[in-house]
Amino acid sequence: FTLEVIALLVQAIGPAVDKHLKLILPNLLALFSDNTKNARDAAGVCLEAFVQEIGLEPLLPYLPAAFAIDLSA
């Protein structure tokens, strides 16, 4: 449910959401390695909202940091 709310906020904020990428995106991208399919699917929907608003290029610098996040804790 939280990721659905974030996706709605992204759509409401529009392109200015790029100012908040540093806060949200690394943890969102890390959810793609979660063990549950529902979490991965919700992360995909949320990420798609970001891509629709600002495109893919602004998201690319956050990929290395996302892969470094340990979700096992």
Side-chain angles (χ1 to χ4, degrees), residues 4-28:
E4 292 172 9
V5 171
I6 292 173
L8 291 172
L9 285 171
V10 168
Q11 293 168 350
I13 294 171
V17 76
D18 66 347
K19 298 174 188 170
H20 305 285
L21 288 178
K22 185 176 182 179
L23 178 66
I24 299 170
L25 209 56
N27 290 316
L28 174 63

Side-chain angles (χ1 to χ4, degrees), residues 23-36:
L23 178 66
I24 299 170
L25 209 56
N27 290 316
L28 174 63
L29 292 173
L31 285 174
F32 284 102
S33 65
D34 194 276
N35 290 332
T36 60

Side-chain angles (χ1 to χ4, degrees), residues 8 12 21 24 26 31 34 36-37 39 46 48 57 64 67-69 72:
L8 291 172
L21 288 178
I24 299 170
L31 285 174
D34 194 276
T36 60
K37 183 180 181 325
C46 190
E48 181 61 30
E57 190 172 336
F67 292 126
I69 294 176
S72 64

